[in-house]
Amino acid sequence: MRGERRTCKVIGILGLTLALVMLSGSAQARMWVGAQIGANFAASQDVTMNDTGDVVVWKNARVEPAVIAGLTIGYDFVREGFLGYNYPDWMKYFSFAVDFTYNRYDMREQFLSGTINGDLGKISFPDINNLDGARVEGTMAVLSFLFFGKYGFFPDAEVPFGRLQPYLGVGPGIMFSSVDGFKDVGGLGLGSASSVDIALVTEAGVRYMALKNVSLDLGFRYRYGAPSYSITGAAFPGQTVNIKFDTHQFSALFRVGYHF
């Protein structure tokens, strides 16, 4: 699928960037690279489908839990270490990170209620439709730009800032997503589509500096996005079907970082 090929290319570029940065590191632990893995959960969502003049709204479609994984590059605003600068002392409580994650976003066949607003007006239907028999397969890849505030506890000679560091981060993201498997109200397959949208990303967690240059993070992340997809000529040649939904995703992440 075109969207998945683009995602693999982005992962490759980020991986090369991480490798080059690691090779140029110095002795102090003020910039980091890391890898992360965890579990991703999405809230049930309403799916709106504009199908040849009929607007169909599927209510509370459930999304399957998935594994989430990714890479991160971060920087502490301190005077020491790689790319160190004479920042004010108070800036040591802040960091910035560029973060990339990838996860599946699948909706299994399920019984759903909803509404159809068309030539006959607005009609509600009960739980008798099985998403028109369609298993929807999707992907979510998010490139995030996060600003973090943090505080250190239990300082020692090796980690003067503190080995235990609770943190809170927020920032925008670019969401690359794709879907495949939706069917129209007549049961015809629509095909696949991709979308690029702005996302909101927040994360709260705690970092433990196991070594001067090695950190272990446990974080809880929330992501919001509103992707929309247009598929032309799949079910009805020459006509376009528009699909959209709001996605609320919650991730539990474990991250290992190398600092230099």
Side-chain angles (χ1 to χ4, degrees), residues 62-107:
R62 296 183 301 278
V63 181
E64 296 184 31
V67 174
I68 184 171
L71 305 171
T72 185
I73 305 174
Y75 182 70
D76 296 330
F77 293 101
V78 295
R79 301 170 185 174
E80 304 85 10
F82 182 61
L83 297 181
Y85 182 75
N86 190 27
Y87 296 108
D89 186 64
W90 58 266
M91 290 191 70
K92 67 184 179 182
Y93 298 106
F94 298 93
S95 302
F96 174 76
V98 178
D99 179 281
F100 180 82
T101 56
Y102 175 85
N103 60 274
R104 299 287 306 177
Y105 199 84
D106 299 334
M107 287 173 273

Side-chain angles (χ1 to χ4, degrees), residues 9-206:
K9 184 181 294 186
V10 172
I11 293 175
I13 293 172
L14 286 175
L16 179 61
T17 302
L18 290 177
L20 292 175
V21 170
M22 289 184 69
L23 290 175
S24 62
S26 65
Q28 297 298 317
R30 293 306 180 237
M31 192 169 183
W32 78 87
V33 295
Q36 55 199 358
I37 192 169
N40 189 71
F41 305 90
S44 297
Q45 61 195 21
D46 293 349
V47 179
T48 301
M49 181 183 301
N50 190 329
D51 184 356
T52 65
D54 295 326
V55 178
V56 182
V57 180
W58 303 98
K59 296 290 187 179
N60 297 317
R62 296 183 301 278
V63 181
E64 296 184 31
V67 174
I68 184 171
L71 305 171
T72 185
I73 305 174
Y75 182 70
D76 296 330
F77 293 101
V78 295
R79 301 170 185 174
E80 304 85 10
F82 182 61
L83 297 181
Y85 182 75
N86 190 27
Y87 296 108
D89 186 64
W90 58 266
M91 290 191 70
K92 67 184 179 182
Y93 298 106
F94 298 93
S95 302
F96 174 76
V98 178
D99 179 281
F100 180 82
T101 56
Y102 175 85
N103 60 274
R104 299 287 306 177
Y105 199 84
D106 299 334
M107 287 173 273
R108 65 169 65 93
E109 297 180 24
Q110 54 193 280
F111 289 93
L112 297 173
S113 61
T115 61
I116 300 177
N117 194 348
D119 295 337
L120 299 178
K122 189 173 183 179
I123 303 173
S124 298
F125 53 86
D127 295 334
I128 57 175
N129 292 69
N130 193 9
L131 202 60
D132 276 339
R135 173 185 171 88
V136 179
E137 297 184 348
T139 63
M140 290 281 178
V142 180
L143 182 64
S144 305
F145 305 90
L146 298 172
F147 293 90
F148 289 96
K150 60 185 180 180
Y151 194 85
F153 294 92
F154 309 114
D156 57 27
E158 192 173 59
V159 187
F161 185 76
R163 286 194 177 271
L164 192 66
Q165 302 173 13
Y167 64 83
L168 179 65
V170 64
I174 304 174
M175 177 180 287
F176 306 88
S177 63
S178 67
V179 291
D180 186 16
F182 275 110
K183 294 186 179 181
D184 79 311
V185 292
L188 298 175
L190 298 179
S192 62
S194 60
S195 181
V196 180
D197 304 276
I198 299 299
L200 170 67
V201 184
T202 64
E203 180 176 328
V206 61

